Amino acid sequence: MAQTGVKARSTRKESVFGERFAIFAECLLTGVWIAVACLGVVTYPAAFAAGARHLRRRTRHENGGLREFVADFRAAVRGGWAVGLAGWAAAAAVWTDVLAVRAGLPGGPVVGAVGVLALIGLAVALLRAAAVWTPGSAWRALVAEAGRRTVLDPAGSFLVVCGLAVVTLSALFVLPLAVPVLGAVAAAAVAVERRYRHR
């Protein structure tokens, strides 16, 4: 009888609170990994793809740690660096628009607003593409499909924008706090994509 009680206690699942807290802690750790992987400047899409894949494994209760994250990052960076470069080019174009607005050029405010909205849309599409990346996926196709989902699922896209806003505000108040929060943004993108598939 005592053995049965011991066996029942050893096979008992973790509490819901404990499981969710563990996932939250994993998000923060993943944010640190993502931040380090982003140091290559054009590697941010690959960093988020590897982070999102790591979090998908954790939510499915599969094993995987830093070694798997690094392997995913190496696979994702092969095509992801070009996407990262295109993202920086888009940011530079929007910055030019902002300078045009400051210079008082005719139509500047409208062009500036459209540019900023387009940049936010591109950031959301990149995060949504990274959230579904798997080794062997073509980045061009991923971004194109994610762009469609960004438009067709405005509620999900808004949630990703809120995650980006949290990172920005964290950086404004306490810069180091923005680092672990990057993992929460990746988790938000994964959750949004899962919600889109099951709605």
Side-chain angles (χ1 to χ4, degrees):
M1 194 76 163
Q3 283 184 337
T4 306
V6 170
K7 188 174 183 182
R9 280 196 299 273
S10 64
T11 58
R12 190 186 322 174
K13 287 188 173 182
E14 188 177 11
S15 70
V16 174
F17 175 78
E19 183 178 346
R20 289 182 180 166
F21 187 78
I23 290 174
F24 174 69
E26 197 69 37
C27 288
L28 299 181
L29 175 62
T30 304
V32 175
W33 294 350
I34 289 171
V36 171
C38 285
L39 293 177
V41 182
V42 295
T43 57
Y44 61 91
F48 274 100
R53 190 151 192 259
H54 172 72
L55 292 173
R56 291 199 311 266
R57 276 195 298 268
R58 297 302 289 174
T59 56
R60 291 194 301 256
H61 303 287
E62 297 174 3
N63 290 331
L66 182 58
R67 183 177 298 165
E68 288 77 13
F69 174 87
V70 171
D72 286 337
F73 174 72
R74 286 179 176 163
V77 82
R78 288 188 194 114
W81 70 267
V83 176
L85 188 62
W88 283 116
V94 170
W95 180 247
T96 303
D97 289 344
V98 170
L99 293 178
V101 170
R102 287 185 168 180
L105 294 177
V110 174
V111 173
V114 169
V116 169
L117 289 175
L119 185 62
I120 292 171
L122 176 63
V124 171
L126 284 176
L127 283 169
R128 294 187 75 151
V132 297
W133 175 88
T134 55
S137 299
W139 274 100
R140 182 177 291 187
L142 282 176
V143 173
E145 286 296 321
R148 281 191 276 279
R149 291 193 302 275
T150 298
V151 174
L152 295 175
D153 181 25
S157 298
F158 178 72
L159 291 174
V160 177
V161 170
C162 289
L164 290 170
V166 168
V167 172
T168 304
L169 291 173
S170 299
L172 289 174
F173 288 117
V174 183
L175 185 58
L177 187 60
V179 170
V181 175
L182 291 173
V185 174
V190 168
V192 163
E193 286 300 312
R194 187 170 292 175
R195 169 189 163 276
Y196 182 80
R197 283 197 309 274
H198 296 297
R199 66 178 187 169

